mmCIF file of all heavy atoms in Angstrom:
data_model
loop_
_atom_site.group_PDB
_atom_site.id
_atom_site.type_symbol
_atom_site.label_atom_id
_atom_site.label_comp_id
_atom_site.label_asym_id
_atom_site.label_seq_id
_atom_site.Cartn_x
_atom_site.Cartn_y
_atom_site.Cartn_z
ATOM 1 N N GLY A 44 94.982 100.480 92.389
ATOM 2 C CA GLY A 44 93.836 99.916 93.071
ATOM 3 C C GLY A 44 93.631 100.633 94.445
ATOM 4 O O GLY A 44 92.638 100.265 95.069
ATOM 5 N N GLY A 45 94.560 101.393 94.902
ATOM 6 C CA GLY A 45 94.424 102.185 96.143
ATOM 7 C C GLY A 45 94.267 101.155 97.340
ATOM 8 O O GLY A 45 93.692 101.535 98.377
ATOM 9 N N CYS A 46 94.896 100.003 97.274
ATOM 10 C CA CYS A 46 94.703 99.049 98.306
ATOM 11 C C CYS A 46 95.327 99.500 99.706
ATOM 12 O O CYS A 46 94.759 99.216 100.721
ATOM 13 C CB CYS A 46 95.508 97.660 97.982
ATOM 14 S SG CYS A 46 95.337 97.150 96.309
ATOM 15 N N CYS A 49 93.076 101.291 102.617
ATOM 16 C CA CYS A 49 92.265 100.411 103.533
ATOM 17 C C CYS A 49 93.020 99.252 104.183
ATOM 18 O O CYS A 49 92.468 98.699 105.126
ATOM 19 C CB CYS A 49 90.987 99.867 102.843
ATOM 20 S SG CYS A 49 90.009 101.149 102.163
ATOM 21 N N HIS A 50 94.172 98.955 103.683
ATOM 22 C CA HIS A 50 94.865 97.761 104.251
ATOM 23 C C HIS A 50 96.172 98.050 104.881
ATOM 24 O O HIS A 50 96.840 97.180 105.411
ATOM 25 C CB HIS A 50 95.020 96.631 103.126
ATOM 26 C CG HIS A 50 93.791 96.079 102.704
ATOM 27 N ND1 HIS A 50 93.043 95.180 103.516
ATOM 28 C CD2 HIS A 50 92.974 96.276 101.676
ATOM 29 C CE1 HIS A 50 91.953 94.748 102.921
ATOM 30 N NE2 HIS A 50 91.857 95.448 101.745
ATOM 31 N N LEU A 62 87.010 102.146 108.696
ATOM 32 C CA LEU A 62 86.145 102.674 107.709
ATOM 33 C C LEU A 62 84.736 102.983 108.241
ATOM 34 O O LEU A 62 84.054 102.114 108.534
ATOM 35 C CB LEU A 62 85.993 101.882 106.483
ATOM 36 C CG LEU A 62 87.314 101.400 105.731
ATOM 37 C CD1 LEU A 62 87.046 100.151 104.969
ATOM 38 C CD2 LEU A 62 87.824 102.503 104.931
ATOM 39 N N PRO A 72 91.097 94.288 106.686
ATOM 40 C CA PRO A 72 91.910 93.095 107.203
ATOM 41 C C PRO A 72 93.312 93.054 106.747
ATOM 42 O O PRO A 72 93.701 93.810 105.824
ATOM 43 C CB PRO A 72 91.084 91.940 106.734
ATOM 44 C CG PRO A 72 90.369 92.468 105.394
ATOM 45 C CD PRO A 72 90.189 93.855 105.686
ATOM 46 N N ILE A 74 96.136 91.680 104.701
ATOM 47 C CA ILE A 74 96.175 91.013 103.407
ATOM 48 C C ILE A 74 97.689 90.644 103.113
ATOM 49 O O ILE A 74 97.990 90.539 101.945
ATOM 50 C CB ILE A 74 95.503 91.755 102.247
ATOM 51 C CG1 ILE A 74 96.048 93.084 102.017
ATOM 52 C CG2 ILE A 74 94.055 91.788 102.420
ATOM 53 C CD1 ILE A 74 95.755 93.708 100.621
ATOM 54 N N ILE A 82 96.580 86.429 103.840
ATOM 55 C CA ILE A 82 96.007 85.658 102.730
ATOM 56 C C ILE A 82 97.097 84.728 102.117
ATOM 57 O O ILE A 82 97.049 84.336 100.931
ATOM 58 C CB ILE A 82 95.339 86.487 101.663
ATOM 59 C CG1 ILE A 82 96.370 87.510 101.042
ATOM 60 C CG2 ILE A 82 94.270 87.378 102.254
ATOM 61 C CD1 ILE A 82 95.830 88.180 99.690
ATOM 62 N N TRP A 85 96.768 81.294 99.617
ATOM 63 C CA TRP A 85 95.704 81.384 98.669
ATOM 64 C C TRP A 85 96.065 81.064 97.246
ATOM 65 O O TRP A 85 97.248 81.430 96.886
ATOM 66 C CB TRP A 85 95.022 82.831 98.645
ATOM 67 C CG TRP A 85 94.207 83.158 99.775
ATOM 68 C CD1 TRP A 85 94.215 82.603 101.075
ATOM 69 C CD2 TRP A 85 93.167 84.145 99.822
ATOM 70 N NE1 TRP A 85 93.272 83.262 101.912
ATOM 71 C CE2 TRP A 85 92.684 84.182 101.094
ATOM 72 C CE3 TRP A 85 92.584 85.006 98.834
ATOM 73 C CZ2 TRP A 85 91.564 85.011 101.439
ATOM 74 C CZ3 TRP A 85 91.607 85.841 99.278
ATOM 75 C CH2 TRP A 85 91.058 85.886 100.503
ATOM 76 N N MET A 94 88.448 88.974 94.761
ATOM 77 C CA MET A 94 88.492 90.380 94.174
ATOM 78 C C MET A 94 87.321 90.694 93.310
ATOM 79 O O MET A 94 86.927 91.847 93.307
ATOM 80 C CB MET A 94 89.819 90.489 93.442
ATOM 81 C CG MET A 94 91.113 90.405 94.210
ATOM 82 S SD MET A 94 91.313 91.712 95.477
ATOM 83 C CE MET A 94 91.457 93.142 94.501
ATOM 84 N N TYR A 105 81.725 88.693 101.113
ATOM 85 C CA TYR A 105 82.388 89.849 101.739
ATOM 86 C C TYR A 105 81.478 91.093 101.698
ATOM 87 O O TYR A 105 80.595 91.175 100.829
ATOM 88 C CB TYR A 105 83.707 90.261 100.897
ATOM 89 C CG TYR A 105 84.774 89.306 101.147
ATOM 90 C CD1 TYR A 105 85.366 88.723 99.988
ATOM 91 C CD2 TYR A 105 85.413 89.067 102.377
ATOM 92 C CE1 TYR A 105 86.466 87.848 100.190
ATOM 93 C CE2 TYR A 105 86.386 88.166 102.535
ATOM 94 C CZ TYR A 105 86.949 87.574 101.419
ATOM 95 O OH TYR A 105 88.008 86.673 101.539
ATOM 96 N N TYR A 106 81.647 92.040 102.642
ATOM 97 C CA TYR A 106 80.956 93.199 102.638
ATOM 98 C C TYR A 106 81.454 94.082 101.482
ATOM 99 O O TYR A 106 82.585 94.164 101.228
ATOM 100 C CB TYR A 106 81.169 94.018 103.961
ATOM 101 C CG TYR A 106 80.388 93.366 105.085
ATOM 102 C CD1 TYR A 106 81.048 92.552 106.046
ATOM 103 C CD2 TYR A 106 79.032 93.628 105.329
ATOM 104 C CE1 TYR A 106 80.372 91.948 107.093
ATOM 105 C CE2 TYR A 106 78.363 93.037 106.405
ATOM 106 C CZ TYR A 106 79.081 92.235 107.285
ATOM 107 O OH TYR A 106 78.351 91.670 108.334
ATOM 108 N N ALA A 108 82.041 97.044 101.405
ATOM 109 C CA ALA A 108 82.978 98.125 101.866
ATOM 110 C C ALA A 108 84.301 97.821 101.185
ATOM 111 O O ALA A 108 85.124 98.676 100.950
ATOM 112 C CB ALA A 108 83.147 98.139 103.374
ATOM 113 N N PHE A 109 84.588 96.568 100.950
ATOM 114 C CA PHE A 109 85.686 96.014 100.062
ATOM 115 C C PHE A 109 85.242 96.316 98.639
ATOM 116 O O PHE A 109 84.208 95.615 98.276
ATOM 117 C CB PHE A 109 85.933 94.603 100.475
ATOM 118 C CG PHE A 109 86.829 93.732 99.563
ATOM 119 C CD1 PHE A 109 87.873 94.351 98.850
ATOM 120 C CD2 PHE A 109 86.716 92.415 99.542
ATOM 121 C CE1 PHE A 109 88.729 93.646 98.047
ATOM 122 C CE2 PHE A 109 87.526 91.652 98.695
ATOM 123 C CZ PHE A 109 88.599 92.296 97.938
ATOM 124 N N PRO A 110 85.776 97.204 97.904
ATOM 125 C CA PRO A 110 85.080 97.591 96.672
ATOM 126 C C PRO A 110 85.251 96.588 95.581
ATOM 127 O O PRO A 110 85.529 96.941 94.381
ATOM 128 C CB PRO A 110 85.847 98.889 96.315
ATOM 129 C CG PRO A 110 87.121 98.927 97.085
ATOM 130 C CD PRO A 110 86.952 98.005 98.208
ATOM 131 N N TYR A 114 86.219 96.184 91.465
ATOM 132 C CA TYR A 114 87.265 95.263 91.021
ATOM 133 C C TYR A 114 86.765 94.196 90.149
ATOM 134 O O TYR A 114 87.529 93.512 89.416
ATOM 135 C CB TYR A 114 87.958 94.687 92.374
ATOM 136 C CG TYR A 114 88.675 95.691 93.110
ATOM 137 C CD1 TYR A 114 88.791 95.525 94.579
ATOM 138 C CD2 TYR A 114 89.159 96.893 92.655
ATOM 139 C CE1 TYR A 114 89.378 96.474 95.363
ATOM 140 C CE2 TYR A 114 89.797 97.858 93.419
ATOM 141 C CZ TYR A 114 89.948 97.667 94.789
ATOM 142 O OH TYR A 114 90.523 98.492 95.590
ATOM 143 N N LEU A 125 99.100 91.443 90.576
ATOM 144 C CA LEU A 125 98.863 91.978 91.923
ATOM 145 C C LEU A 125 99.063 90.923 92.913
ATOM 146 O O LEU A 125 99.680 91.135 93.948
ATOM 147 C CB LEU A 125 97.365 92.562 92.066
ATOM 148 C CG LEU A 125 96.928 93.037 93.355
ATOM 149 C CD1 LEU A 125 97.722 94.167 93.837
ATOM 150 C CD2 LEU A 125 95.446 93.450 93.241
ATOM 151 N N HIS A 142 84.854 93.736 112.541
ATOM 152 C CA HIS A 142 84.144 94.924 112.281
ATOM 153 C C HIS A 142 83.175 95.299 113.425
ATOM 154 O O HIS A 142 82.702 94.369 114.083
ATOM 155 C CB HIS A 142 83.283 94.767 111.013
ATOM 156 C CG HIS A 142 84.042 94.326 109.838
ATOM 157 N ND1 HIS A 142 85.248 94.846 109.390
ATOM 158 C CD2 HIS A 142 83.793 93.188 108.941
ATOM 159 C CE1 HIS A 142 85.614 94.205 108.326
ATOM 160 N NE2 HIS A 142 84.816 93.209 107.969
ATOM 161 N N ARG A 151 76.445 88.429 108.387
ATOM 162 C CA ARG A 151 77.103 88.232 107.114
ATOM 163 C C ARG A 151 76.281 87.468 106.014
ATOM 164 O O ARG A 151 76.390 87.672 104.855
ATOM 165 C CB ARG A 151 78.512 87.565 107.364
ATOM 166 C CG ARG A 151 79.425 87.629 106.187
ATOM 167 C CD ARG A 151 80.763 87.029 106.452
ATOM 168 N NE ARG A 151 81.751 87.823 107.168
ATOM 169 C CZ ARG A 151 82.517 88.765 106.645
ATOM 170 N NH1 ARG A 151 82.457 88.946 105.247
ATOM 171 N NH2 ARG A 151 83.304 89.497 107.326
ATOM 172 N N HIS A 188 88.490 102.724 91.196
ATOM 173 C CA HIS A 188 87.221 102.721 91.846
ATOM 174 C C HIS A 188 86.667 104.163 92.171
ATOM 175 O O HIS A 188 86.143 104.328 93.298
ATOM 176 C CB HIS A 188 87.038 101.797 93.013
ATOM 177 C CG HIS A 188 88.053 102.020 94.125
ATOM 178 N ND1 HIS A 188 89.336 101.534 94.224
ATOM 179 C CD2 HIS A 188 87.875 102.732 95.322
ATOM 180 C CE1 HIS A 188 89.866 101.898 95.405
ATOM 181 N NE2 HIS A 188 88.979 102.633 96.064
HETATM 182 C C1 LIG B 301 87.721 101.149 100.612
HETATM 183 C C2 LIG B 301 88.468 100.240 101.379
HETATM 184 C C3 LIG B 301 89.139 99.054 100.661
HETATM 185 C C4 LIG B 301 89.984 99.126 99.579
HETATM 186 C C5 LIG B 301 90.400 100.293 98.764
HETATM 187 C C6 LIG B 301 90.548 97.729 99.389
HETATM 188 N N1 LIG B 301 89.952 96.966 100.262
HETATM 189 FE FE1 LIG B 301 90.304 94.923 100.543
HETATM 190 N N2 LIG B 301 88.947 94.843 101.990
HETATM 191 C C7 LIG B 301 88.315 95.865 102.606
HETATM 192 C C8 LIG B 301 87.449 95.401 103.719
HETATM 193 C C9 LIG B 301 86.628 96.310 104.628
HETATM 194 C C10 LIG B 301 87.551 94.020 103.680
HETATM 195 C C11 LIG B 301 86.855 92.994 104.564
HETATM 196 C C12 LIG B 301 85.549 92.596 104.033
HETATM 197 C C13 LIG B 301 84.697 91.705 104.918
HETATM 198 O O1 LIG B 301 85.070 91.391 106.022
HETATM 199 O O2 LIG B 301 83.653 91.238 104.374
HETATM 200 C C14 LIG B 301 88.515 93.641 102.666
HETATM 201 C C15 LIG B 301 88.933 92.424 102.237
HETATM 202 C C16 LIG B 301 89.850 92.046 101.364
HETATM 203 C C17 LIG B 301 90.345 90.705 101.127
HETATM 204 C C18 LIG B 301 89.842 89.498 101.813
HETATM 205 C C19 LIG B 301 90.697 89.215 103.005
HETATM 206 C C20 LIG B 301 90.350 87.946 103.764
HETATM 207 O O3 LIG B 301 91.113 87.816 104.803
HETATM 208 O O4 LIG B 301 89.475 87.225 103.455
HETATM 209 C C21 LIG B 301 91.296 90.827 100.147
HETATM 210 C C22 LIG B 301 92.102 89.710 99.529
HETATM 211 C C23 LIG B 301 91.440 92.234 99.854
HETATM 212 N N3 LIG B 301 90.632 92.933 100.583
HETATM 213 C C24 LIG B 301 92.352 92.698 98.873
HETATM 214 C C25 LIG B 301 92.449 94.027 98.479
HETATM 215 C C26 LIG B 301 93.305 94.486 97.396
HETATM 216 C C27 LIG B 301 94.300 93.714 96.731
HETATM 217 C C28 LIG B 301 92.956 95.784 97.200
HETATM 218 C C29 LIG B 301 93.475 96.818 96.220
HETATM 219 C C30 LIG B 301 93.307 96.367 94.832
HETATM 220 C C31 LIG B 301 91.968 96.122 98.251
HETATM 221 N N4 LIG B 301 91.626 95.013 98.933
HETATM 222 C C32 LIG B 301 91.398 97.412 98.341
HETATM 223 C C33 LIG B 301 88.500 97.196 102.262
HETATM 224 C C34 LIG B 301 89.167 97.693 101.152
#
Side-chain angles (χ1 to χ4, degrees):
C46 317
C49 300
H50 292 286
L62 303 160
I74 57 162
I82 63 168
W85 283 26
M94 295 297 293
Y105 290 121
Y106 287 98
F109 169 25
Y114 297 151
L125 176 57
H142 306 310
R151 196 179 275 278
H188 62 272

